[in-house]
Amino acid sequence: MIKFTIITLFQDALEPYLSTSMMRKATEKGFAEFNFVNLRDFGLGPHKSVDDTPYGGGDGMLLRCEPVFNAIESVKAKDPLAKVILPTPVGEIWDQKHAQTFAVDENAHYIILCPHYEGYDERILSIIDYKISLGKFVLTGGELPALVVIDSVVRLIPGVLGGEQSAIIESFSDGDNLEYPQYTRPEDFRGMKVPEILLSGNHGEIAKWRADHSGKIK
């Protein structure tokens, strides 16, 4: 079972997705487990503050070290081998190869810290194992990247998708490959017809057609 512990201020934004469709199936079958830690529980002072203004001036607020360190350490106290993931613009671009690597260890435990506000105190990086980015754009917080990481990893766990080949032949399963075109009923829709070879029953020729029509990102 792969475990994910998500440190967030907005658990309500994550729960609906993680309790639906394939993510729900993964938890019901014991392939994955999702836990939450409320960062506010580790906040400072009477208002449970987790952020403060940056030294040197500037707009926005930064996540403070104390709440983040304490939240992560509370999880690691129970599982010292858990690895910490931080969605951040300075991270490596997340891709299918990363997802495949993370899905290999069925006993892995990943802690995902969801940053918010303007950013985080740079010293927080000292306890991060993986810095990841979804691309060259900025989001309000780390909740969406957390869902992307979780979904892309969990669906690769054998048994989650159902078909044994589902995750093997799909797009990006081998570098920049793109999956071949696929069709279902009806055979003719508004003059757009399913290629005859796919209706032939000749599995050898179908395999060749699919190989010929698979591609690479250019």
Side-chain angles (χ1 to χ4, degrees):
M1 176 188 292
I2 296 182
K3 297 181 180 180
F4 293 90
T5 298
I6 309 162
I7 299 175
T8 177
L9 293 168
F10 302 99
Q11 179 175 336
D12 291 348
L14 297 161
E15 286 182 313
Y17 189 87
L18 296 178
S19 60
T20 304
S21 187
M22 290 298 172
M23 300 302 104
R24 178 179 178 180
K25 176 182 176 182
T27 57
E28 289 179 345
K29 291 197 170 186
F31 295 128
E33 179 181 304
F34 308 127
N35 299 298
F36 299 93
V37 170
N38 187 344
L39 184 60
R40 188 73 64 188
D41 290 342
F42 298 87
L44 306 174
H47 299 294
K48 295 292 186 179
S49 174
V50 299
D51 62 329
D52 208 337
T53 55
Y55 282 121
D59 294 332
M61 306 286 280
L62 301 179
L63 284 181
R64 296 182 57 160
C65 290
E66 302 98 314
V68 171
F69 272 70
N70 290 337
I72 291 174
E73 289 169 354
S74 74
V75 180
K76 287 212 165 198
K78 300 176 182 177
D79 186 357
L81 298 180
K83 300 296 183 181
V84 186
I85 302 170
L86 175 70
T88 171
V90 303
E92 292 186 20
I93 298 297
W94 183 259
D95 59 17
Q96 191 71 1
K97 189 174 292 294
H98 283 95
Q100 290 168 338
T101 300
F102 278 52
V104 167
D105 184 359
E106 62 182 18
N107 296 313
H109 182 182
Y110 300 112
I111 302 169
I112 306 180
L113 171 63
C114 297
H116 245 272
Y117 309 111
E118 177 64 20
Y120 49 82
D121 188 300
E122 189 74 7
R123 292 167 290 187
I124 288 172
L125 294 180
S126 67
I127 55 170
I128 302 300
D129 297 293
Y130 303 106
K131 300 185 288 291
I132 65 101
S133 171
L134 298 189
K136 295 182 179 180
F137 54 90
V138 179
L139 296 171
T140 304
E143 283 73 25
L144 285 176
L147 290 178
V148 169
V149 168
I150 292 171
D151 188 296
S152 63
V153 171
V154 170
R155 66 189 303 280
L156 294 178
I157 301 173
V160 173
L161 291 182
E164 293 183 2
Q165 299 296 311
S166 296
I168 297 176
I169 62 176
E170 64 189 2
S171 297
F172 310 119
S173 59
D174 182 20
D176 290 333
N177 67 299
L178 295 175
E179 191 173 358
Y180 49 77
Q182 300 190 79
Y183 302 84
T184 187
R185 295 183 179 85
E187 294 178 17
D188 187 333
F189 178 70
R190 298 183 179 179
M192 296 177 284
K193 298 181 179 180
V194 176
E196 290 186 12
I197 187 63
L198 299 180
L199 308 174
S200 69
N202 187 327
H203 297 295
E205 290 300 313
I206 290 173
K208 183 178 183 301
W209 182 91
R210 286 174 169 173
D212 290 342
H213 287 78
S214 296
K216 295 273 186 180
I217 293 180
K218 299 180 179 179

